[in-house]
Amino acid sequence: MEIAPCLIDGRLYTGHGETLEVRNPATNAIVGIVPVCSAALATSAADAAVTAFSSWKRTTAAHRAQLLRSVAAGIRTARDAFATTITLECGKPMLEARGEVEYSASFFDAAASAGEMLEGSTIASRIADRRVFAVREPLGATMAITPWNFPLAMIARKTGPALAAGCTQVVKPSEETPLSASLLGKTMLECGIPAGVFNCVTGDPASIAGALLCHAGMRKLSFTGSTEVGRLLARQASDRLMRCALELGGNAPFIVFADADLARAADQLIAAKFRFMGQTCISANRVFVQRGVLPAFIALLESRMDGLLLGDPLQETTRIGPLISDAAVAKVERHVQDAIARGARLRRGGKIATLKGMSQRFFEPTLLEGGTAGMACACEETFGPILTLHEFETEEEVIESANAVAVGLAAYVMTQDADRLWRVVEQLDAGVIGANDGAPSAAEAPFGGFKESGYGKEGGRIGVEEYTRVKYVSMRVRVP
């Protein structure tokens, strides 16, 4: 099996020593090999990014946009190769993997457009012979650490805006899913991205991250992952006062009011919960249904859950594939058992599914009703295919429950009352709100959370601006 290379300073690097095996979570078969990059090699990649920045920042926004649109086109041209790679390395069903490929391409397109529209400002001066300007300029060389659940899209969401702003970047993909990053590196090379502008290093996260965070030329860290790791990285980055964008854990509430279109709400909940088997940061984790409509809503959910076919994620009809690891399965099992012990009623699912020729990482779509607010699946981010329904009475009560967690990444509200919709949206303490929408992510939108879900925004114009700094210019002029 050939080694999937890293792109470092415009060259494809396959290493000369230790390698890392990438396994298919559906079968546990080896599907790829990548080099284990040393801290010294990570430093070399950072050096390349710093060197490339001196020329990349001087290119025009239009030229950068042209190259980024070429990358988007290259991703779409290689859609099947990217989708198959995503499915093999993380177990995402093929239909969703194709969606991720298009989603990834859209980040490069959106960033290209936003980069072309970056603006400074002229500020009215209080002094007659002074002219005041605020000028945006790129930050410099940056680093990104990306997760396994969107192995292509999370790189695109960071790299597209960085390059559009005139920054360069070194990416450390998840050691569980580095193959998509390798394929993206080849695409970057083919599309004419200059040497050192985009670099990818694979291997041990601690040694690579440590080398990049200590590098004097790195100006920003963008990280998507757990709150625990985010805190650790932020502490390390603070030693150099490095700017950070942290997209961390979630525990999204999904609120269904009695006046909602229940069938539509059920469809949106299925999308928000079972996309990639619940292994997304904005997955609905706590579902609140207003008293009086719970039985009808459960019936709608159960009918839709019947259509969630488990199977080989490479098959077109599969909707539920494997969880990423044995540890992920163990966590889901623990959450189900804890919920039942605390009074929740198991309506369906709740156990590992045994499929011929597949691993033991498939878990049945699970529906739980009731229980307490102290259940593990209410207090922790499950990252698995569990739906837990809680009944509520009043608007005030459910808002308090929705906000009663330490994180605030996403929240969902389903209602046909426009006044209520705005009231609730304004009171929900989360950075991303799905208002009658179970799939609120978009490349043109500013994505990011509140509280312990992190800080900083990614996507759209704001996402590109976050890779810039504002320089204030005060100019004295001769006046009549």
Side-chain angles (χ1 to χ4, degrees):
M1 184 176 292
E2 292 185 358
I3 297 175
C6 295
L7 179 63
I8 300 174
D9 198 15
R11 296 185 295 273
L12 295 175
Y13 173 83
T14 56
H16 306 290
E18 187 180 359
T19 58
L20 175 69
E21 294 177 346
V22 182
R23 293 182 178 271
N24 181 351
T27 63
N28 210 37
I30 298 171
V31 293
I33 302 172
V34 296
V36 174
C37 298
S38 65
L41 192 60
T43 298
S44 296
D47 290 340
V50 171
T51 300
F53 174 67
S54 62
S55 57
W56 182 247
K57 69 179 180 180
R58 292 195 296 269
T59 60
T60 65
H63 177 67
R64 296 194 295 266
Q66 181 182 18
L67 287 174
L68 291 176
R69 291 188 178 106
S70 177
V71 173
I75 290 172
R76 291 186 175 102
T77 298
R79 183 193 70 166
D80 290 344
F82 273 110
T84 300
T85 299
I86 290 168
T87 296
L88 287 175
E89 67 180 347
C90 75
K92 184 170 292 186
M94 181 58 72
L95 183 67
E96 291 188 32
R98 289 201 186 97
E100 180 176 342
V101 175
E102 175 56 34
Y103 186 43
S104 303
S106 74
F107 276 113
F108 287 102
D109 280 336
S113 297
E116 289 179 305
M117 299 300 290
L118 276 179
E119 297 178 341
S121 60
T122 302
I123 302 164
S125 174
R126 295 174 179 270
I127 301 173
D129 68 343
R130 174 184 287 164
R131 302 295 180 263
V132 178
F133 306 94
V135 181
R136 285 195 179 274
E137 58 184 31
L139 278 175
T142 65
M143 59 179 288
I145 300 176
T146 58
W148 52 262
N149 57 345
F150 286 87
L152 180 63
M154 292 303 97
I155 298 176
R157 189 158 74 182
K158 300 174 189 304
T159 299
L163 271 55
C167 296
T168 56
Q169 193 160 80
V170 180
V171 173
K172 162 61 180 73
S174 168
E175 59 275 20
E176 293 177 286
T177 57
L179 302 178
S180 295
S182 176
L183 194 54
L184 178 60
K186 293 179 182 177
T187 302
M188 291 278 196
L189 200 58
E190 292 166 359
C191 293
I193 297 297
V197 170
F198 175 83
N199 307 273
C200 174
V201 285
T202 56
D204 177 63
S207 61
I208 291 173
L212 295 177
L213 287 166
C214 290
H215 195 284
M218 288 289 109
R219 294 290 177 259
K220 178 178 177 176
L221 160 69
S222 179
F223 169 72
T224 298
S226 71
T227 298
E228 179 184 7
V229 175
R231 284 196 187 99
L232 177 63
L233 292 171
R235 290 191 196 104
Q236 292 177 269
S238 69
D239 288 340
R240 293 189 46 252
L241 299 181
M242 185 189 294
R243 188 184 295 190
C244 293
L246 305 174
E247 194 262 281
L248 309 177
N251 191 343
F254 192 104
I255 303 168
V256 181
F257 286 98
D259 61 9
D261 179 333
L262 295 184
R264 180 184 181 189
D267 289 336
Q268 297 303 312
L269 178 54
I270 292 295
K273 175 73 260 186
F274 293 110
R275 182 183 300 108
F276 193 29
M277 295 73 77
Q279 297 177 120
T280 77
C281 55
I282 61 170
S283 178
N285 207 57
R286 298 168 295 141
V287 183
F288 302 98
V289 184
Q290 195 161 29
R291 187 161 296 160
V293 298
L294 182 59
F297 192 63
I298 287 175
L300 290 167
L301 286 176
E302 289 183 326
S303 68
R304 285 154 175 77
M305 289 175 70
D306 287 340
L308 298 174
L309 180 65
L310 285 85
D312 183 346
L314 288 169
Q315 298 299 315
E316 297 290 338
T317 55
T318 295
R319 294 297 175 267
I320 301 293
L323 297 179
I324 188 66
S325 65
D326 294 339
V329 174
K331 182 178 182 181
V332 172
E333 285 187 301
R334 175 173 63 83
H335 278 200
V336 171
Q337 293 163 5
D338 175 78
I340 294 172
R342 293 174 184 265
R345 176 188 175 192
L346 179 64
R347 297 193 64 99
R348 62 176 51 211
K351 63 182 186 297
I352 294 172
T354 300
L355 303 175
K356 185 177 180 180
M358 296 286 114
S359 70
Q360 291 294 299
R361 295 183 182 140
F362 292 77
F363 202 90
E364 296 177 346
T366 297
L367 182 60
L368 293 160
E369 178 188 353
T372 69
M375 296 185 304
C377 60
C379 300
E380 304 172 13
E381 186 176 27
T382 299
F383 246 55
I386 300 176
L387 261 179
T388 306
L389 306 181
H390 306 271
E391 199 169 35
F392 73 92
E393 184 71 42
T394 68
E395 185 177 310
E396 294 74 19
E397 169 197 344
V398 76
I399 290 171
E400 181 179 359
S401 296
N403 289 336
V405 291
V407 293
L409 182 55
Y412 304 87
V413 55
M414 304 288 139
T415 177
Q416 296 186 89
D417 184 326
D419 289 338
R420 168 178 280 158
L421 186 65
W422 277 114
R423 281 197 311 271
V424 174
V425 164
E426 289 175 354
Q427 294 177 82
L428 287 172
D429 202 2
V432 178
I433 307 294
N436 293 318
D437 182 4
S441 294
E444 63 274 15
F447 187 96
F450 298 160
K451 301 189 287 188
E452 292 185 15
S453 287
Y455 46 81
K457 299 294 181 183
E458 295 182 317
R461 176 182 59 81
I462 293 175
V464 175
E465 287 178 351
E466 293 225 348
Y467 280 94
T468 67
R469 60 188 185 185
V470 175
K471 180 177 287 182
Y472 155 51
V473 180
S474 177
M475 180 185 295
R476 293 284 185 169
V477 299
R478 289 189 177 93
V479 295

